[in-house]
Amino acid sequence: AIPRSNIFRGNLRPDGKTFHVGIGVHRQTLDHAAYGLYSSGALCLDVSSELSTQLNSGLFSLLVPSLNVLTSAETVPVKLAIRPQKPPTVSLGAGKWHTGKDGNPVIDEPLVKIAAKDFSADVYALIEERWIRLFTITGDLEVPALVTADSQGRLQPMLGDLSKALTNIKVANSELLSEDPSKLATLFPTILNVAAGMFSTNFDPIALPDFAGIELALDKGSITSVDNNDLLAIFSKLE
C-alpha cells in the first residue's frame, strides 16, 4: 500500500517556495515502467558509430592492440549490441548538481539510479563489410541520471560519471583477440566512459508545450524526490 503524500496537499515545496501544480510518481511505478521496457525488448539496443562518432576501432585499439591486426590498422565502426539479462530497477535520490570548472554540470547526487544485474553487451567491429563479434561483456550496471530545469524552464536531462557504472565485469567470446579476457574486463570501463562521455553533457533541452496559452514555469528546484526518496516530484507554477 502506498500512503497519500502530504507534500502535495499544501502549496509549499521542500525548499519553501510555492507552487501551483504538483506531480508525484512513485518509484514502484518507475520500476514497473522499466520492467515493461525490458519485457517488450525495447532495451535491446544497437549503439554504433552512427550515434557516437567516438565509438570506433581507433578508440578500442588504444587499449586492445590486437584489434589493429583484424582491421589492418584501419579505423572502422564499432557497435555495442546491448542485451539485458534481467529487468532493471529504479531508485531515487535528491537530484543535486553543480557546475564544474569546464562549465559542464556535475552530478553530486543523482535524481534517478537505474540498475541492471547481469547487463550484457556484444561488441562488434565492421571488418570486410560484415559485423564481426569481438567479445561479449557482462556485468552489473548502475547509471546515475538527473533531470533539471535550465534558465529558460526547459527540461535538461544529464548522465553522471560512467567510469564506475559497470562492475563485476566478465568477458567471453574473445577468441579473435590476443588479449587475456581478464585484461579486457579491466579495460572496458575506460572504453565505456570515453565512448559515452558525450552523452552526459550533450542532451538537448526539452521545451514544454503550453496549454491554451498557459505554461508550466520550472526552475532548478522544481524536480526532486520526496517522502524518503519514494516519490519523484515535479513542482511548477503556471504562467
Side-chain angles (χ1 to χ4, degrees), residues 126-178:
L126 189 62
I127 301 173
E128 295 185 0
E129 300 184 1
R130 67 177 67 182
W131 288 107
I132 304 297
R133 185 174 64 183
L134 303 176
F135 58 90
T136 301
I137 190 85
T138 303
D140 297 331
L141 182 70
E142 184 176 86
V143 177
L146 186 146
V147 179
T148 186
D150 66 8
S151 58
Q152 302 180 43
R154 300 174 298 180
L155 295 179
Q156 178 62 66
M158 64 183 78
L159 296 180
D161 181 14
L162 298 179
S163 61
K164 299 180 181 179
L166 197 63
T167 57
N168 300 323
I169 301 172
K170 298 178 181 179
V171 170
N173 306 318
S174 62
E175 292 82 2
L176 291 178
L177 302 173
S178 62

Side-chain angles (χ1 to χ4, degrees), residues 1 7 69 89 91 111 155 162-163 187 196 200 215:
I7 191 69
V69 178
T89 58
S91 60
L111 178 67
L155 295 179
L162 298 179
S163 61
L187 295 176
S200 61
E215 296 180 347

Side-chain angles (χ1 to χ4, degrees), residues 55 59-60 63 80 82 119 121 137 141-143 162-167 169 187-199:
L55 200 58
L59 168 64
F60 279 77
L63 301 175
L80 299 181
I82 299 172
F119 177 85
I137 190 85
L141 182 70
E142 184 176 86
V143 177
L162 298 179
S163 61
K164 299 180 181 179
L166 197 63
T167 57
I169 301 172
L187 295 176
F188 191 79
T190 302
I191 297 173
L192 176 66
N193 193 47
V194 173
M198 60 173 294
F199 299 128

Side-chain angles (χ1 to χ4, degrees), residues 82-140:
I82 299 172
R83 304 291 182 260
Q85 303 300 302
K86 295 181 180 179
T89 58
V90 178
S91 60
L92 300 175
K96 299 179 180 179
W97 61 279
H98 69 276
T99 302
K101 295 180 179 180
D102 57 359
N104 293 321
V106 178
I107 296 179
D108 299 315
E109 182 180 350
L111 178 67
V112 177
K113 283 185 179 180
I114 304 170
K117 295 288 186 179
D118 297 332
F119 177 85
S120 180
D122 290 315
V123 180
Y124 292 83
L126 189 62
I127 301 173
E128 295 185 0
E129 300 184 1
R130 67 177 67 182
W131 288 107
I132 304 297
R133 185 174 64 183
L134 303 176
F135 58 90
T136 301
I137 190 85
T138 303
D140 297 331

Side-chain angles (χ1 to χ4, degrees), residues 49-60:
S49 302
E50 295 179 359
L51 181 62
S52 171
T53 56
Q54 299 181 52
L55 200 58
N56 56 54
S57 62
L59 168 64
F60 279 77

